[in-house]
Amino acid sequence: MQYISTRGASPKQSFLQILLGGLAPDGGLYLPESYPQISLDELKSWQQYNYRELAFAVLSKFATDIPAEDLRAIIDKTYTADVYCNTRPGENAEDITPVRTLEPGLHMLALSNGPTLAFKDMAMQLLGNLFEYALAKNHDSINILGATSGDTGSAAEYAMRGKRGVRVFMLSPHGKMSPFQRAQMYSLQDPNIYNIAVRGAFDDCQDIVKAVSNDLTFKAQYKIGAVNSINWARVSAQIVYYFKAYFAVVKNVGDQVSFSVPSGNFGNVCAGHIARMMGLPIKHLIVATNENDVLDEFFKTGRYAPRAQTLHTSSPSMDISKASNFERMIFDAVGRDAGEIQKLWSKVDQGQGFELNAAAFAKVKEYGFVSGESGHADRMKTIREVYERYGQMLDTHTADGYKVGCEYREAGISMICLETALPAKFEESIREALGRNPERPKGLDNIESLPQRVEVMNNDVNTVKQFVVAHAQD
Ligand SMILES: *Cc1c(COP(=O)(O)O)cnc(C)c1O
């Protein structure tokens, strides 16, 4: 399997060749040259697979340059009940992504049982093991530089801790994260993890990362890399649980289901789109947004208009003004015409946005995309209703997905809502909705009192660079 860029001006690459990079050199995103097709017979043969077997069946179609036995070993080491241990009482952690049925035809897919209690662990844990494998093969190393407002940074750190050849330098806004989020990241004592708290906001952290990455000499000399949501290996790992959930709920393989996905950067639901393109019988892919509704507007009107400002909401991991993986789906919708993508994104880059032509927008509808928005009041109401009706506590992001998913329920089609975080991560909002604290998974009760390891720094690119230089060879 070879990978091409959505902008059409980069050489084809293999899975391992694009593993450690981000954007293609032409500024595009990588996609497989064509999507592997899964026939109904093959789909039926996958039905009895456990998570690891299914992950191998799916990922071996994409990572064709990793020998089968190596890929199997990486997957077997990643998707274990020990890593994804934060299941609820009565659930089998061996399922990795258990499905909870709220009532006939309405299900939650639990994706947040990994170490940082959010769905990003599903792909990031695999990425950590893939990185270690690829770097060892080439006797190479990488210094990952990132910025986080909470979820991504912690998922990356827990995935990369202790990995040979990998160092992580993670910038976070000093004093801006919740005590739990701070404790999750800063309590890591692994020598290859560096937490840097910047005296500034999240945007300042992101600007520093951009400035360092734009210094190409520095970037090459210190092997600076990233693990952001456009990474193809992350998207591919997320395809697996769409298949897993499908088999968990359908009566007959071939039946259609719908998925509701709390969305920000469009990485999660993009994996659902690819699962559908591979032949998984999906009727609707429901894109749920919060008050940052750039995607909802697009799926309703065909107009994509990235916002100048991002609102801070109580589902903060969906606070985006531009959806970085969106370009992948649009590439398919315009018939994989890279010239058209160049045209559309030159408008995005000038801050104008674009209107998709009618034929391409019809394609988007054919893919099953629909959308909706959920605001703070909806979120609070949903958390209360689901708790009262089903005794289930949802986090704020999952509540957005559930609310919008319910708007698209239809007879005879199972609705699967993706749970993207555990409520324990967002205690303040749960207290506001329910007047009580969520339960914390075992072992995290006193995480705030553990010793913390963090460097506080001024909002200054050179200070960060000097720190990287001083530790890049450790
Ligand atoms: C990252 C994240 C999302 C959004 O996922 P995308 O792939 O960016 O669309 C939703 N919920 C939670 C809890 C997240 O951490």
Side-chain angles (χ1 to χ4, degrees), residues 44-293:
K44 282 180 182 159
S45 74
W46 287 5
Q47 196 178 7
Q48 300 309 321
Y49 283 176
N50 67 26
Y51 199 93
R52 289 180 288 277
E53 291 163 339
L54 195 53
F56 180 76
V58 171
L59 292 170
S60 58
K61 308 248 179 211
F62 293 108
T64 50
D65 56 342
I66 301 181
E69 61 272 29
D70 294 356
L71 182 63
R72 209 181 278 278
I74 292 167
I75 288 170
D76 287 353
K77 176 165 137 186
T78 303
Y79 295 109
T80 70
D82 283 343
V83 174
Y84 298 92
C85 63
N86 296 307
T87 41
R88 316 220 171 158
E91 279 174 358
N92 183 1
E94 281 296 340
D95 284 343
I96 310 298
T97 58
V99 169
R100 286 195 286 276
T101 298
L102 300 180
E103 60 179 60
L106 182 61
H107 314 270
M108 303 292 314
L109 172 62
L111 300 176
S112 312
N113 302 322
T116 73
L117 318 184
F119 93 97
K120 293 195 173 63
D121 292 328
M122 290 307 304
M124 204 73 93
Q125 287 288 318
L126 182 77
L127 200 67
N129 289 325
L130 284 170
F131 270 32
E132 190 173 52
Y133 171 82
L135 291 166
K137 223 175 173 170
N138 300 325
H139 310 288
D140 207 350
S141 66
I142 192 171
N143 293 303
I144 294 169
L145 180 67
T148 189
S149 54
D151 278 358
T152 310
S154 59
E157 290 188 354
Y158 280 77
M160 302 296 165
R161 59 188 297 199
K163 297 281 183 259
R164 262 163 305 165
V166 183
R167 276 171 231 91
V168 178
F169 298 88
M170 191 58 67
L171 313 186
S172 53
H174 183 48
K176 302 275 189 334
M177 297 193 299
S178 75
F180 180 80
Q181 284 177 316
R182 279 204 293 273
Q184 251 192 332
M185 290 179 54
Y186 302 168
S187 67
L188 288 179
Q189 300 297 330
D190 306 76
N192 70 326
I193 304 292
Y194 298 94
N195 284 301
I196 300 173
V198 175
R199 293 189 183 92
F202 168 64
D203 291 332
D204 299 318
C205 300
Q206 216 165 18
D207 288 345
I208 293 175
V209 171
K210 274 187 208 150
V212 175
S213 306
N214 287 340
D215 181 343
L216 296 181
T217 317
F218 186 88
K219 192 178 169 191
Q221 187 175 356
Y222 293 99
K223 299 178 179 169
I224 303 295
V227 289
N228 40 30
S229 85
I230 55 149
N231 181 287
W232 166 253
R234 280 181 66 183
V235 175
S236 67
Q238 290 166 183
I239 297 169
V240 177
Y241 51 71
Y242 285 87
F243 282 87
K244 190 75 173 71
Y246 177 81
F247 294 127
V249 309
V250 292
K251 274 205 191 72
N252 301 302
V253 174
D255 292 352
Q256 283 192 312
V257 304
S258 291
F259 288 95
S260 182
V261 188
S263 294
N265 269 322
F266 207 74
N268 199 352
V269 75
C270 185
H273 164 67
I274 294 168
R276 190 191 154 281
M277 296 295 271
M278 291 168 72
L280 192 68
I282 297 177
K283 173 132 193 225
H284 282 137
L285 284 166
I286 298 148
V287 179
T289 73
N290 65 17
E291 293 89 333
N292 295 289
D293 60 351

